[in-house]
Amino acid sequence: GESVGLHLPTLSVQEGDNSIINCAYSNSASDYFIWYKQESGKGPQFIIDIRSNMDKRQGQRVTVLLNKTVKHLSLQIAATQPGDSAVYFCAENIGGYSTLTFGKGTMLLVSP
Amino acid sequence: DAGVTQSPTHLIKTRGQQVTLRCSPKSGHDTVSWYQQALGQGPQFIFQYYEEEERQRGNFPDRFSGHQFPNYSSELNVNALLLGDSALYLCASNREIATNEKLFFGSGTQLSVL
């Protein structure tokens, strides 16, 4: 089975709300995690990453939280905008070589 | 600075045929990976090329093969196509020197097998 999965397939929010997308992973050996955004007809676009020696990392309007105790990863998007509407994937890597295992994805729908 | 480019963007084949997809990595990148993304699913790792050799491989049959050229560009070949091979094929690149460096993805080739 897949080692990375998501709790919610679709998340609908209003413009300006904060969004939280969750992800569970099962491989405790994973040491690097990435969130990607994929818009229709495009390839995945890097959003933010975090290494296993950290529990939080912030970017522009985005924050990734890593809880290794319960093997849980989340992506927080502040002040969500219609342009944030896309499918979001979490991915994990084990031991270098940048070979990623992706989850199924969560679709984020932002209403104006 | 061009990102990862893939060709063609769309392709239609019939069962049993063979297909070749092409990828040019982002400038400065020397490692190329291929992923298959079925509709409604996350990308699945096929294989990775570095120094013109296949370095790692995911759970895909031998019908899937590849090649990397001295200029770091890459090809993905699929023989004896099956209906289930219909998917978006994504190429990603990164620099080997930077462990766990983020992957840059192309927009993919949409393959339809009829």
Side-chain angles (χ1 to χ4, degrees), chain A residues 19-54:
Chain A
S19 302
I20 300 176
I21 301 172
N22 296 302
C23 175
Y25 66 96
S26 59
N27 195 328
S28 57
S30 296
D31 58 4
Y32 179 57
F33 304 89
I34 314 99
W35 282 99
Y36 281 92
K37 171 186 180 183
Q38 188 173 26
E39 297 173 285
S40 181
K42 297 184 179 180
Q45 177 187 357
F46 174 90
I47 301 173
I48 192 168
D49 59 359
I50 188 167
R51 302 190 189 282
S52 58
N53 61 352
M54 303 170 67

Side-chain angles (χ1 to χ4, degrees), chain A residues 7-29:
Chain A
H7 298 303
L8 298 173
T10 304
L11 177 63
S12 296
V13 301
Q14 293 288 119
E15 182 177 2
D17 287 351
N18 295 330
S19 302
I20 300 176
I21 301 172
N22 296 302
C23 175
Y25 66 96
S26 59
N27 195 328
S28 57

Side-chain angles (χ1 to χ4, degrees), chain A residues 32 36 38 93 97 99-100, chain B residues 35 37 48 56 100 103 106:
Chain A
Y32 179 57
Y36 281 92
Q38 188 173 26
N93 186 41
Y97 287 158
T99 57
L100 303 178
Chain B
Y35 287 78
Q37 186 175 22
Q48 184 182 84
Q56 281 197 295
N100 279 339
L103 294 183

